[in-house]
Coordinates of all heavy atoms in Angstrom, one line a residue:
R1071 N -20.9 -25.7 -2.8 CA -19.9 -25.7 -1.8 C -20.0 -24.4 -0.9 O -19.0 -23.7 -0.8 CB -18.5 -25.8 -2.4 CG -18.2 -27.2 -2.9 CD -16.9 -27.3 -3.6 NE -15.8 -27.1 -2.7 CZ -14.7 -26.4 -3.0 NH1 -14.6 -25.9 -4.1 NH2 -13.7 -26.3 -2.0
L1072 N -21.2 -24.3 -0.4 CA -21.4 -23.1 0.6 C -22.1 -23.8 1.8 O -22.9 -24.6 1.6 CB -22.2 -22.0 0.0 CG -21.7 -21.2 -1.1 CD1 -22.8 -20.2 -1.6 CD2 -20.5 -20.5 -0.7
N1073 N -21.7 -23.3 3.0 CA -22.5 -23.8 4.2 C -23.8 -23.0 4.3 O -24.0 -22.0 3.5 CB -21.6 -23.7 5.4 CG -21.3 -22.3 5.9 OD1 -22.1 -21.4 5.6 ND2 -20.1 -22.2 6.5
Q1076 N -23.5 -19.2 4.7 CA -23.0 -18.6 3.5 C -24.1 -18.6 2.4 O -24.2 -17.5 1.8 CB -21.8 -19.4 2.9 CG -20.5 -19.3 3.9 CD -19.4 -20.2 3.4 OE1 -19.7 -21.3 2.8 NE2 -18.2 -19.9 3.6
G1092 N -14.8 -13.3 10.5 CA -13.4 -13.4 10.7 C -12.7 -13.9 9.4 O -13.3 -14.2 8.4
A1093 N -11.4 -14.0 9.6 CA -10.5 -14.4 8.4 C -10.8 -15.8 8.0 O -11.1 -16.7 8.8 CB -9.1 -14.3 8.9
G1094 N -10.8 -15.9 6.7 CA -10.9 -17.3 6.1 C -12.3 -17.9 6.3 O -12.4 -19.1 6.0
S1095 N -13.3 -17.1 6.6 CA -14.6 -17.7 6.8 C -15.4 -17.7 5.5 O -16.6 -18.1 5.5 CB -15.4 -17.0 7.9 OG -15.4 -15.6 7.5
G1096 N -14.8 -17.2 4.4 CA -15.5 -17.3 3.2 C -16.2 -16.0 2.7 O -17.1 -16.0 1.9
K1097 N -15.7 -14.9 3.3 CA -16.4 -13.6 2.9 C -16.2 -13.3 1.4 O -17.2 -13.0 0.7 CB -15.8 -12.4 3.7 CG -16.1 -12.4 5.2 CD -15.5 -11.2 5.9 CE -14.0 -11.1 5.8 NZ -13.3 -12.3 6.4
T1098 N -15.0 -13.4 0.9 CA -14.7 -13.1 -0.5 C -15.4 -14.1 -1.4 O -16.0 -13.8 -2.4 CB -13.2 -13.1 -0.8 OG1 -12.6 -12.2 0.1 CG2 -12.9 -12.7 -2.2
R1099 N -15.4 -15.4 -0.9 CA -16.2 -16.4 -1.6 C -17.7 -16.1 -1.7 O -18.3 -16.2 -2.8 CB -15.9 -17.7 -0.9 CG -16.5 -18.9 -1.6 CD -16.3 -20.1 -0.7 NE -16.8 -21.4 -1.3 CZ -16.0 -22.2 -1.9 NH1 -14.7 -22.0 -2.1 NH2 -16.5 -23.3 -2.4
V1100 N -18.2 -15.6 -0.6 CA -19.6 -15.3 -0.6 C -19.9 -14.2 -1.5 O -20.9 -14.2 -2.3 CB -20.1 -15.0 0.9 CG1 -21.3 -14.1 0.9 CG2 -20.3 -16.2 1.7
R1135 N -11.6 -15.5 -9.7 CA -12.6 -16.3 -9.0 C -13.9 -16.2 -9.7 O -14.7 -17.2 -9.9 CB -12.7 -15.9 -7.5 CG -11.6 -16.4 -6.7 CD -12.0 -16.4 -5.2 NE -10.9 -16.3 -4.3 CZ -11.1 -16.3 -2.9 NH1 -12.4 -16.4 -2.4 NH2 -10.1 -16.2 -2.1
D1282 N -15.5 -5.6 -0.9 CA -14.8 -6.5 -0.1 C -13.9 -5.7 0.8 O -13.6 -4.6 0.6 CB -13.9 -7.4 -0.9 CG -13.5 -8.7 -0.2 OD1 -13.7 -8.9 1.0 OD2 -12.8 -9.6 -0.9
E1283 N -13.5 -6.3 2.0 CA -12.6 -5.6 2.9 C -13.2 -4.2 3.4 O -12.5 -3.2 3.4 CB -11.2 -5.3 2.3 CG -10.5 -6.5 1.6 CD -9.9 -7.4 2.7 OE1 -9.9 -7.1 3.9 OE2 -9.3 -8.5 2.3
D1310 N -14.2 -7.5 8.2 CA -13.8 -8.1 9.5 C -13.1 -7.0 10.3 O -12.0 -6.5 9.9 CB -12.9 -9.2 9.2 CG -12.3 -9.8 10.5 OD1 -12.7 -9.4 11.6 OD2 -11.4 -10.7 10.4
Q1313 N -9.5 -7.2 11.1 CA -8.5 -7.1 10.0 C -8.4 -5.6 9.5 O -7.9 -5.3 8.5 CB -8.7 -8.0 8.9 CG -8.7 -9.4 9.3 CD -8.9 -10.3 8.1 OE1 -8.0 -10.4 7.2 NE2 -10.0 -11.0 8.0
Y1345 N -12.4 -22.0 6.8 CA -12.1 -23.1 5.8 C -10.7 -23.1 5.4 O -10.2 -23.8 4.5 CB -13.0 -23.0 4.6 CG -14.4 -23.4 4.9 CD1 -15.4 -22.4 5.3 CD2 -14.9 -24.7 4.7 CE1 -16.7 -22.7 5.5 CE2 -16.2 -25.0 5.0 CZ -17.1 -24.1 5.4 OH -18.4 -24.4 5.6
R1346 N -9.9 -22.1 5.9 CA -8.6 -21.9 5.3 C -7.5 -22.6 6.0 O -6.7 -23.3 5.4 CB -8.3 -20.4 5.3 CG -6.9 -20.1 4.7 CD -6.6 -18.6 4.7 NE -7.5 -17.9 3.8 CZ -8.0 -16.7 4.0 NH1 -7.6 -16.0 5.0 NH2 -8.8 -16.1 3.1
G1626 N -6.4 -10.4 2.5 CA -7.3 -11.1 1.6 C -6.8 -12.3 0.8 O -7.5 -13.0 0.2
L1627 N -5.4 -12.4 0.9 CA -4.8 -13.5 0.1 C -4.6 -14.8 1.0 O -4.8 -14.7 2.2 CB -3.5 -13.1 -0.4 CG -3.5 -11.8 -1.3 CD1 -2.1 -11.4 -1.7 CD2 -4.4 -11.9 -2.4
E1628 N -4.3 -15.9 0.4 CA -4.0 -17.1 1.1 C -2.9 -17.9 0.5 O -2.8 -17.9 -0.8 CB -5.3 -17.9 1.4 CG -5.9 -18.4 0.1 CD -7.3 -19.2 0.4 OE1 -7.8 -19.0 1.5 OE2 -7.7 -19.9 -0.5
T1666 N -3.3 -15.5 9.7 CA -4.5 -16.1 9.0 C -4.4 -16.3 7.5 O -5.3 -16.7 6.9 CB -5.8 -15.4 9.4 OG1 -5.6 -14.0 9.0 CG2 -6.1 -15.5 10.8
R1667 N -3.2 -15.9 6.9 CA -3.0 -16.1 5.5 C -2.6 -17.5 5.3 O -2.7 -18.0 4.1 CB -1.9 -15.2 5.0 CG -2.0 -13.7 5.0 CD -3.4 -13.3 4.4 NE -4.4 -13.1 5.5 CZ -5.7 -13.1 5.3 NH1 -6.1 -13.2 4.1 NH2 -6.5 -13.0 6.3
R1669 N -2.6 -21.6 5.1 CA -3.5 -22.7 5.1 C -2.9 -23.9 5.9 O -3.5 -24.3 6.8 CB -3.6 -23.2 3.6 CG -4.5 -22.3 2.8 CD -5.1 -23.2 1.6 NE -5.5 -22.4 0.5 CZ -4.8 -22.2 -0.6 NH1 -3.6 -22.8 -0.7 NH2 -5.2 -21.4 -1.5
Ligands
LIG1141 P1 -10.1 -13.0 4.5 O1 -10.8 -12.4 5.8 O2 -8.8 -13.4 4.8 O3 -10.3 -12.1 3.4 P2 -12.4 -14.5 3.6 O4 -13.4 -14.5 4.7 O5 -12.6 -13.6 2.5 O6 -10.9 -14.3 4.3 P3 -12.2 -16.6 1.6 O7 -10.9 -16.2 1.1 O8 -13.5 -16.3 0.9 O9 -12.3 -16.0 3.1 O10 -12.2 -18.1 2.0 C1 -11.1 -18.8 2.6 C2 -10.9 -20.2 2.0 O11 -11.9 -21.0 2.4 C3 -10.9 -20.1 0.5 O12 -9.9 -21.0 0.0 C4 -12.3 -20.6 0.1 O13 -12.3 -21.1 -1.1 C5 -12.5 -21.6 1.2 N1 -13.9 -21.8 1.5 C6 -14.8 -20.9 2.0 N2 -16.0 -21.4 2.2 C7 -15.9 -22.7 1.9 C8 -16.9 -23.8 1.9 N3 -18.1 -23.6 2.3 N4 -16.4 -25.0 1.5 C9 -15.1 -25.2 1.1 N5 -14.2 -24.2 1.1 C10 -14.6 -22.9 1.5

Side-chain angles (χ1 to χ4, degrees):
R1071 289 178 64 222
L1072 294 178
N1073 67 32
Q1076 292 173 331
S1095 59
K1097 291 184 297 301
T1098 304
R1099 186 185 181 96
V1100 159
R1135 286 201 203 180
D1282 200 355
E1283 309 280 1
D1310 175 7
Q1313 295 186 71
Y1345 288 90
R1346 179 180 294 150
L1627 307 178
E1628 59 185 21
T1666 54
R1667 297 310 95 199
R1669 283 205 204 99

